[in-house]
Amino acid sequence: MIGRLNHVAIAVPDLEAAADLYRNALGAQVGAPQDEPDHGVRVIFIELPNTKIELLNPLGADSPIQGFLDKNPAGGIHHICYEVEDILAARDKLKASGARVLGSGEPKIGAHGKPVLFLHPKDFNGALVELEEV
Ligand SMILES: CC[C@H](C(=O)O)C(=O)SCCNC(=O)CCNC(=O)[C@H](O)C(C)(C)COP(=O)(O)OP(=O)(O)OC[C@H]1O[C@@H](n2cnc3c(N)ncnc32)[C@H](O)[C@@H]1OP(=O)(O)O
Ligand SMILES: [Co+2]
């Protein structure tokens, strides 16, 4: 069911500082900040030859990543995003297997304009999993 690794997300306390670090210290190709109010985050994508890094910073009062940053003030790896061909079929299969789909359970449009869902980290060995339909 899951296919390619679409991105690895890192929650950061200072988005521009993290972007500068990747641009200057690591010589990476760093994109522009994107506000994603429907997800409560501001993101910057870093294009790698084989996948992407998503830098995340809270946007708005009730960002879903604020709790994570409160616990990890220096930042940390936040989630991993796998690609799927059919996100509703994947969701239904996962729910039938007892996995918790976060939020309303309906996909939302993510940063790439594609439907995304999230699976509870406690069901996947402590890793927050994002699925993106491609
Ligand atoms: C623009 C979209 C973009 C894209 O790629 O397209 C995005 O990726 S948007 C990314 C931001 N959105 C989300 O993360 C949505 C899904 N996340 C959530 O619903 C919450 O973050 C949730 C439920 C995973 C955690 O929320 P919160 O920290 O407020 O809840 P708890 O304190 O109850 O946490 C429960 C339990 O899980 C542990 N936890 C929390 N976050 C993570 C994480 N990222 N990775 C691993 N574990 C995590 C937390 O420590 C608690 O564990 P416990 O042992 O009970 O203390
Ligand atoms: Co993501």
Side-chain angles (χ1 to χ4, degrees), residues 32-129:
Q34 286 170 241
D35 283 1
E36 295 290 345
D38 196 27
H39 293 267
V41 291
R42 175 169 295 145
V43 305
I44 287 180
F45 276 95
I46 293 159
E47 295 289 336
L48 301 179
N50 63 333
T51 189
K52 293 182 270 297
I53 301 300
E54 180 183 49
L55 301 178
L56 290 173
N57 191 247
L59 179 69
D62 52 358
S63 170
I65 72 166
Q66 190 57 59
F68 181 89
L69 274 174
D70 292 344
K71 286 182 185 166
N72 306 277
I77 292 180
H78 184 262
H79 65 268
I80 187 164
C81 181
Y82 302 113
E83 295 179 356
V84 292
E85 286 182 6
D86 181 336
I87 199 163
L88 294 179
R91 176 200 60 188
D92 294 345
K93 187 163 184 282
L94 285 155
K95 282 175 77 170
S97 72
R100 285 169 283 182
V101 177
L102 296 170
S104 70
E106 291 308 312
K108 285 203 284 192
I109 298 303
H112 302 124
K114 304 283 181 58
V116 300
L117 279 175
F118 289 87
L119 306 174
H120 202 287
K122 294 299 181 190
D123 297 335
F124 291 91
N125 304 113
L128 176 61
V129 171

